[in-house]
Amino acid sequence: MADNLVIVESPAKAKTIEKYLGKRYKVIASMGHVRDLPRSQTGIDTENNYEPKYITIRGKGPLLKELKKEAKKAKKVFLASDPDREGEAIAWHLSHALGPDNDYYRVVFNEITKDAVKESFKTPSEIDMQLVDAQQARRILDRLVGYNISPVLWKKVKKGLSAGRVQSVALKLIIDRENEIRKFVPEEYWSIEGTFKTGRSKFTGKFNKLASDKQKTKLHTKDDVDKVMAEIKGNDFNIDSVEKKEKKRYPAQPFTTSSLQQEAARKLNYKARKTMMLAQQLYEGIDIKKEGTVGLITYMRTDSTRISNTAKEEAYDLIQSTYGREFTGTQKSANKAAAQDAHEAVRPTSANRTPDNMKQYLSRDQHRLYKLIWDRFIASQMAPAVLDTVKIDLSNNGVLFRSTGQTIKFKGFMQIYIEGTDDGEDDLNSKLPEMNEGETVKSEKIEPAQHFTQPPPRFTEARLVKTLEESGIGRPSTYAPTIDTIQKRNYVRMDQKRFIPTEMGEIVNEQVVEYFPDIIDIAFTRNMEESLDSVAEGNKEWREVIDEFYKGFSPQVERAEAEMEKIEIKDEPVGEDCEKCGSPMVYKMGRYGKFMACSNFPDCRNTKAIVKEIGVKCPTCKEGEVVERKSKRNRIFFGCERYPECDYVSWDRPIGRDCPKCEHHLVETKKGKKAQVKCTNCDYTEDAS
């Protein structure tokens, strides 16, 4: 019979740990929190030193009864929730919910492996009340903000809206960027590119400046270009200088939570929520043949890049045996000043569990994420890459061109991994032909090109997470739920993987900006995060932090209730009548975006999706037009306007031409970043351009 009770959050974690601890330990999952603030009221007594009112979460009664029963039978109760502030708060709530009659021991482990778990049970500790208080303060702050602002928005704008500390800042960042794009005025500029030949080799170079100018010559107009072109005499260019350098490129640090979310978005097209769900599964344990159930990665909520010496040594041995000693590195972890450094970076629990070896035990999505984490960690412990760079200046009659190139001399960490960017990957192998100073090369063509400056890009999920982190807004555990919330509330929509604010999002932001300026102020929110860190470090009392905030916030709520005008969101007319009752159709806003509905609702419940014709006849029925639609997941697809009479549907855009080989219809699709036309029946393809 088990003498000891161990309580963790999830059944998967319980299953893994129970196998390590043996028969003397019974492991049960609490399924997350068992106590929380009530949903029906604020639950904070602002007149009594912000005393929170905690209740058993609805539906958790039977589970709590079972936990109490098992706790009574046990000599010791070990609370083994996750090693972060929320995990500490879960342990504290459990100790209160189960009562004072038990001996409670707190155990934490950064990875769910046999050695790590057994070691943590040798040195249990008490619940860290500083971490609990920091989490309590965050929960109470968020409750005070949400439960005070949201009712005002319901009353003045629309029921079901919400505002929050982090979500309001995230929404404002997206809207501020959209306003920048709207106000942006493109400016004309020009470039001149030359194609040059030396012997049998060709290379390109770009106009740099006129010899008479000290700095790079800017080409604003066609007249500027014509003046430069007029100066070029003949097609002989002199090589003025050849500058060769060796450059080292260092690997990226192992993953933190935010960098993992960013890279998974770029390379795997995973949303932050999906990344964290898969990471949780990898952390809590996977059944591995011969090893049993084992956690494959360390704890996934962290802002630290620290790596244990044991993990470094294991990685060193693997790199040396697999790639050679010259590929081993000596990188040091460089944590940011704000990093809590409570645990390590996100890394594999063993470098020897390679992605190839683990593939058979993982789902496709799990394997892709595990490979990303493993590659990044191993690369972070490898030698830097060495690049040979070349810069060549060439001239004709005082008109200077410049050509640059680089080649990989030694791959180093790039043997297995290169960090992604939002702007695409660098061309690492742009080799130039061998040339010497004083030589002459021939120009084959000199071509001017007109350009216009582009507005700043809209936020991708990766770029938004990065901006929130750099601004000190939120913490590792908050990014995914924040992004999820602003989408669920229909404050933003995704278009080509980028955030665009909706009309509702802009209305809510406008009210929050006017009446609650502190909530959306980046500096204010960053300082609040720092105050919460001070609570966790024992340098501040949590009630003091809440009081400082609430004294300024409460008058803002009173002002908003008194002065905010009621906003009537009028339905926009479609310009056509309902085919069922003859009333005008209007545009409505739903969970998945705009749709058309009858204005005679609820007497008439006719609704229609908004469709866009693409100017192509349906290839199936030859009668209807092909229209662009959106799935419930906001993915664009194409179908016949005569649906359901005609069931033509395609993810790829039909182009209105038939295949020259088999006469089936052609569609435009994307292969990587390149558009391609292909036949829907045979293997015929052509370039989309």
Side-chain angles (χ1 to χ4, degrees):
M1 187 175 170
D3 307 327
N4 306 297
L5 176 66
V6 182
I7 305 175
V8 297
E9 302 97 324
S10 74
K13 190 173 173 182
K15 179 184 171 187
T16 306
I17 291 169
E18 195 161 44
K19 288 181 180 179
Y20 298 153
L21 295 176
K23 293 178 181 178
R24 291 181 55 239
Y25 293 83
K26 181 164 187 176
V27 187
I28 300 179
S30 70
M31 310 303 291
H33 283 277
V34 292
R35 294 198 318 168
D36 197 6
L37 300 169
R39 294 184 69 178
S40 58
Q41 55 183 272
T42 307
I44 314 294
D45 190 348
T46 54
E47 302 297 319
N48 184 25
N49 207 15
Y50 307 99
E51 189 65 30
K53 176 188 175 183
Y54 292 117
I55 62 167
T56 301
I57 295 170
R58 183 177 292 180
K60 289 287 182 84
L63 174 62
L64 192 55
K65 189 177 178 182
E66 184 194 349
L67 289 171
K68 284 180 177 178
K69 180 182 167 186
E70 294 296 336
K72 270 188 178 180
K73 293 191 286 184
K75 291 179 180 176
K76 293 179 180 178
V77 178
F78 293 91
L79 304 171
S81 44
D82 287 342
D84 58 10
R85 294 176 191 176
E86 187 164 9
E88 210 69 30
I90 288 173
W92 179 71
H93 281 301
L94 278 166
S95 69
H96 276 260
L98 296 178
D101 298 332
N102 303 293
D103 290 330
Y104 297 106
Y105 299 87
R106 177 76 171 115
V107 288
V108 293
F109 29 82
N110 192 47
E111 57 187 68
I112 303 179
T113 58
K114 192 171 185 178
D115 290 345
V117 170
K118 285 199 161 188
E119 190 60 37
S120 69
F121 275 81
K122 289 178 185 176
T123 55
S125 59
E126 294 181 352
I127 292 169
D128 188 333
M129 283 309 300
Q130 290 172 191
L131 297 183
V132 172
D133 287 346
Q135 185 61 26
Q136 269 200 110
R138 178 184 294 281
R139 185 77 183 98
I140 290 168
L141 275 171
D142 290 343
R143 175 56 66 98
L144 288 172
V145 171
Y147 273 51
N148 278 284
I149 298 181
S150 298
V152 178
L153 295 175
W154 296 354
K155 201 184 298 179
K156 306 290 187 177
V157 185
K158 186 184 176 186
K159 197 165 177 62
L161 301 178
S162 73
R165 276 190 325 115
V166 180
Q167 78 174 60
S168 296
V169 177
L171 177 61
K172 186 174 186 295
L173 285 170
I174 292 167
I175 290 173
D176 286 349
R177 177 59 55 87
E178 196 67 23
N179 288 333
E180 283 182 64
I181 293 168
R182 288 168 185 158
K183 293 174 185 174
F184 183 80
V185 179
E187 292 182 7
E188 180 186 14
Y189 72 98
W190 288 72
S191 65
I192 305 172
E193 184 169 281
T195 302
F196 304 95
K197 190 173 183 181
T198 174
R200 293 183 178 180
S201 301
K202 291 182 183 180
F203 66 98
T204 59
K206 290 186 176 180
F207 169 70
N208 186 32
K209 65 181 191 122
L210 295 171
S212 55
D213 293 340
K214 288 185 178 179
Q215 295 182 339
K216 187 173 182 176
T217 305
K218 292 185 178 179
L219 305 174
H220 296 291
T221 64
K222 180 75 163 58
D223 288 343
D224 295 338
V225 172
D226 291 342
K227 286 175 187 174
V228 172
M229 296 295 285
E231 291 294 317
I232 299 174
K233 309 298 181 187
N235 62 353
D236 284 349
F237 278 72
N238 184 64
I239 304 295
D240 295 336
S241 67
V242 178
E243 186 180 313
K244 294 182 179 181
K245 283 185 179 178
E246 190 177 272
K247 185 173 77 175
K248 285 187 177 180
R249 180 166 168 175
Y250 289 88
Q253 295 280 356
F255 283 130
T256 61
T257 303
S258 71
S259 60
L260 174 62
Q261 290 174 2
Q262 291 169 51
E263 195 73 338
R266 293 188 196 106
K267 292 201 168 187
L268 307 179
N269 197 26
Y270 288 174
K271 291 183 177 294
R273 181 177 58 177
K274 179 175 181 176
T275 298
M276 296 312 291
M277 177 191 73
L278 293 169
Q280 184 92 31
Q281 293 166 5
L282 295 173
Y283 165 70
E284 289 186 340
I286 303 292
D287 280 325
I288 308 296
K289 196 175 180 181
K290 293 182 181 177
E291 284 194 78
T293 306
V294 63
L296 293 187
I297 64 169
T298 53
Y299 191 54
M300 64 283 160
R301 293 187 184 93
T302 175
D303 50 10
S304 172
T305 57
R306 185 173 60 81
I307 296 294
S308 71
N309 289 332
T310 304
K312 285 181 182 177
E313 288 163 9
E314 193 177 57
Y316 182 95
D317 291 342
L318 181 133
I319 294 163
Q320 185 175 22
S321 62
T322 307
Y323 302 103
R325 189 168 184 177
E326 67 274 19
F327 281 87
T328 58
T330 55
Q331 280 67 44
K332 291 182 180 178
S333 301
N335 274 337
K336 293 180 181 177
Q340 293 171 30
D341 206 24
H343 15 74
E344 289 187 60
V346 185
R347 62 165 176 83
T349 52
S350 172
N352 294 319
R353 295 191 193 100
T354 65
D356 284 347
N357 291 339
M358 294 298 105
K359 190 172 185 177
Q360 60 186 308
Y361 309 114
L362 302 173
S363 70
R364 179 177 180 272
D365 286 346
Q366 287 173 337
H367 177 258
R368 293 178 77 204
L369 188 67
Y370 181 66
K371 185 177 187 308
L372 188 70
I373 294 167
W374 189 92
D375 286 351
R376 172 85 163 222
F377 167 63
I378 296 300
S380 75
Q381 303 304 303
M382 292 176 77
V386 181
L387 305 174
D388 281 334
T389 64
V390 183
K391 182 173 73 177
I392 295 174
D393 287 334
L394 53 160
S395 65
N396 172 305
N397 194 36
V399 180
L400 277 61
F401 278 68
R402 176 166 287 173
S403 183
T404 58
Q406 63 181 5
T407 54
I408 300 172
K409 183 178 181 180
F410 172 65
K411 274 194 166 184
F413 73 93
M414 294 194 322
Q415 183 78 22
I416 62 168
Y417 175 85
I418 300 174
E419 186 176 26
T421 68
D422 285 333
D423 307 314
E425 309 239 333
D426 297 337
D427 184 3
L428 297 169
N429 266 311
S430 49
K431 190 174 183 179
L432 291 177
E434 196 63 42
M435 286 174 276
N436 296 307
E437 196 173 309
E439 286 182 9
T440 300
V441 297
K442 299 281 187 185
S443 65
E444 287 203 336
K445 57 182 178 182
I446 305 289
E447 289 185 319
Q450 185 186 34
H451 311 277
F452 290 92
T453 53
Q454 297 296 308
R458 291 187 174 106
F459 283 105
T460 59
E461 199 166 285
R463 200 183 287 268
L464 181 61
V465 168
K466 186 177 182 183
T467 304
L468 288 169
E469 183 191 31
E470 289 175 345
S471 302
I473 306 300
R475 281 298 177 257
S477 60
T478 62
Y479 303 131
T482 295
I483 290 168
D484 208 30
T485 299
I486 59 175
Q487 288 179 279
K488 280 183 177 174
R489 298 290 184 206
N490 198 34
Y491 294 164
V492 298
R493 62 184 177 87
M494 294 295 276
D495 184 22
Q496 296 179 332
K497 300 179 187 176
R498 294 179 184 271
F499 290 109
I500 299 177
T502 62
E503 182 185 359
M504 184 59 70
E506 300 209 43
I507 290 169
V508 169
N509 179 67
E510 190 179 327
Q511 302 310 309
V512 174
V513 167
E514 183 174 352
Y515 291 98
F516 304 98
D518 288 346
I519 295 299
I520 47 78
D521 182 72
I522 286 177
F524 181 87
T525 309
R526 180 174 57 243
N527 291 339
M528 184 59 67
E529 292 293 348
E530 289 169 359
S531 293
L532 293 174
D533 290 346
S534 294
V535 173
E537 292 157 7
N539 298 325
K540 252 188 176 181
E541 211 274 324
W542 73 267
R543 295 176 198 267
E544 178 191 329
V545 172
I546 303 294
D547 191 52
E548 285 172 7
F549 165 76
Y550 194 70
K551 278 179 178 173
F553 175 67
S554 185
Q556 292 178 355
V557 176
E558 290 171 9
R559 175 175 165 256
E561 286 174 334
E563 298 179 15
M564 189 186 290
E565 293 181 7
K566 189 167 177 61
I567 296 169
E568 187 180 347
I569 302 173
K570 292 183 179 178
D571 294 326
E572 182 187 346
V574 172
E576 63 181 74
D577 292 334
C578 173
E579 64 264 31
K580 291 188 178 179
C581 73
S583 300
M585 295 290 283
V586 293
Y587 290 114
K588 291 276 188 183
M589 190 64 77
R591 184 179 174 187
Y592 301 109
K594 273 189 175 181
F595 65 96
M596 292 187 284
C598 181
S599 58
N600 195 25
F601 178 86
D603 295 333
C604 178
R605 295 177 175 269
N606 184 28
T607 61
K608 289 164 68 176
I610 298 171
V611 296
K612 184 168 74 176
E613 292 185 0
I614 65 169
V616 173
K617 281 284 182 191
C618 174
T620 299
C621 70
K622 314 291 185 188
E623 293 179 30
E625 291 285 325
V626 174
V627 292
E628 182 183 296
R629 299 178 186 270
K630 282 192 176 178
S631 70
K632 285 187 176 181
R633 291 183 176 270
N634 215 30
R635 186 178 170 189
I636 291 172
F637 68 97
F638 304 91
C640 181
E641 66 174 351
R642 294 180 63 243
Y643 176 84
E645 286 82 11
C646 175
D647 62 358
Y648 173 76
V649 67
S650 171
W651 290 115
D652 299 319
R653 178 189 287 267
I655 63 171
R657 285 196 290 120
D658 290 336
C659 173
K661 284 175 71 176
C662 71
E663 297 187 349
H664 278 70
H665 72 282
L666 297 173
V667 293
E668 184 179 299
T669 186
K670 272 196 171 183
K671 193 171 183 180
K673 292 186 178 180
K674 192 176 179 183
Q676 186 183 62
V677 170
K678 69 174 185 178
C679 178
T680 53
N681 180 56
C682 70
D683 60 358
Y684 176 79
T685 61
E686 62 181 60
D687 189 42
S689 59

